[in-house]
Amino acid sequence: QLQASGGGLVQPGGSPRLSCAASGSIGSTNVMGWYRQAPGKRRELVAAVTSGGRINYAEFVQGRFTISRDNAKNTVFLQMNSLKPEDTAVYYCNIGIVAYNPYARNDYWGQGTQVTVSS
């Protein structure tokens, strides 16, 4: 189970921080990340970080967001800076738990948290 928090109404240029805590076992190999979905658009990756520390950002992040994780607490964070109105979306946290031999990935999603960027 994933429990997300943070977000809400933010002014342009604001810097909210999203958090998402996973309960239960998440395995030793996993990817924790954030996706977002704006009205009328497909869900898209924002950023992800693997259990090994590898990080991937979407191009639109352009250095404004930072993803991090606290492995002791099974929590992933998304620090967002310099928000723009086009960042308005529902943000979903995700964890992909990976197994090998054979390869399998099981994805779990949080409930989503609304981020609205408006003055």
Side-chain angles (χ1 to χ4, degrees):
Q1 185 177 3
L2 297 175
Q3 184 66 46
S5 61
L9 178 62
V10 182
Q11 290 191 342
S15 301
R17 187 193 198 204
L18 306 182
S19 301
C20 180
S23 58
S25 174
I26 63 170
S28 60
T29 304
N30 57 69
V31 181
M32 300 186 81
W34 292 93
Y35 290 70
R36 72 184 189 183
Q37 188 168 17
K41 294 188 177 181
R42 291 184 175 182
R43 190 174 298 188
E44 60 183 354
L45 174 69
V46 177
V49 54
T50 70
S51 48
R54 184 173 180 176
I55 292 175
N56 181 38
Y57 291 106
E59 285 190 11
F60 62 77
V61 169
Q62 296 177 331
R64 299 180 298 130
F65 300 172
T66 301
I67 190 170
S68 61
R69 58 187 288 167
D70 182 338
N71 291 326
K73 298 181 178 180
N74 291 345
T75 300
V76 62
F77 305 97
L78 184 68
Q79 176 66 51
M80 301 189 288
N81 299 319
S82 303
L83 281 183
K84 308 173 184 179
E86 51 263 43
D87 293 315
T88 295
V90 178
Y91 284 72
Y92 296 91
C93 62
N94 163 271
I95 181 168
I97 299 175
V98 179
Y100 294 96
N101 299 319
Y103 176 83
R105 172 172 170 159
N106 291 308
D107 283 273
Y108 301 88
W109 294 91
Q111 80 279 15
T113 183
Q114 177 71 45
V115 175
T116 302
V117 185
S118 175
S119 56

